[in-house]
Amino acid sequence: MYLTEEQLLIYRNQGFLLLSEYFSRTEVEIMKSELSALSTENSPKKIIEKDGKTVRSLHGSHTTNDVFNCLTRHPFIVEPAMQIVGNQVYIYQFKVNLKAAFTGDIWKWHQDYIYWRKEDGMPKPQVVNAMCLLDDMNEFNGPLFVIPSSHKEEMIDITDHSPRVTNTNSNSSGESNTWISSFSANLKYSLSQELIANLVSKYGISFIKAAAGSVLFFDSNLVHASSNNISPFGRSTVIITYNSIENIPLPVQNPRPDFLVSQDYRPVTPLAPDALSQFSRSRIKF
Ligand code: SIN
Ligand code: MN
């Protein structure tokens, strides 16, 4: 489903575009019903919160899970992504952020592109995020905060000020993975309080309030964050990052794993609009 000129203009001006209740309740339930099995898999693709037990995020699930594979190729997402990026796209990154009820932790203020540039060698910010809400996002459950139009500042070049070793995640030999600091609450390239205060006084601040099934497209240089979730409401989202097929990362010294930075550069071909609802309702556990 292609965006109108007006929607594209909103995206270009504010650095994000919210499409409310884009997917049906049934489609949302089909996707949500996959989460518990994925969360119990023992895999390095799973990030745990600081408490050592709550699942924070799941990476690269689209390569093993049919429903999420289908979501990444759904025309409702891929067609706008191609319009925004101005080219054919491939899937650069896929993650589920669970932001669990009561225990989901914060995402500090940051831009995304700095990670992809500095860690992965992505040449240009010719890339877009599609955040699909699998739960309602509201003022209580740690909604996404955004600084509208802050993408116009382009990449704010800051030095890495995070501690190197961060949380309980480790690989099978017990070593800590340095890339985890890009995904834990202790974000590597987070922006300073002073900078955020200045940006907010220049552009204002907003938060995303939308029902499950809504999709937020946002720019890789949009400054964003979220607070912890102390509410009894889960706040699960899927974030798919689409990169232009002409913006393939250049070689870097310590490449991050393939499930964070996909090397499958094949352009995504959109499926039929009813692709998700084709999955049997028997998969849904109410
Ligand atoms: C992110 O920045 O990748 C996630 C933000 C959020 O889920 O609140
Ligand atoms: Mn981000």
Side-chain angles (χ1 to χ4, degrees), residues 182-249:
S182 307
F183 295 96
S184 65
N186 225 335
L187 272 188
K188 186 169 179 180
Y189 299 111
S190 60
L191 298 168
S192 71
Q193 293 176 358
E194 189 188 5
L195 191 78
I196 294 303
N198 288 337
L199 288 172
V200 170
S201 74
K202 183 169 175 187
Y203 295 111
I205 186 168
S206 186
F207 75 97
I208 306 301
K209 180 171 175 165
S214 304
V215 176
L216 179 79
F217 291 94
F218 67 99
D219 190 283
S220 62
N221 279 321
L222 185 77
V223 177
H224 60 285
S226 60
S227 58
N228 55 339
N229 183 6
I230 58 167
S231 83
F233 315 121
R235 200 222 73 176
S236 47
T237 60
V238 177
I239 303 181
I240 310 165
T241 304
Y242 294 95
N243 191 18
S244 159
I245 55 163
E246 284 166 10
N247 194 33
I248 301 221

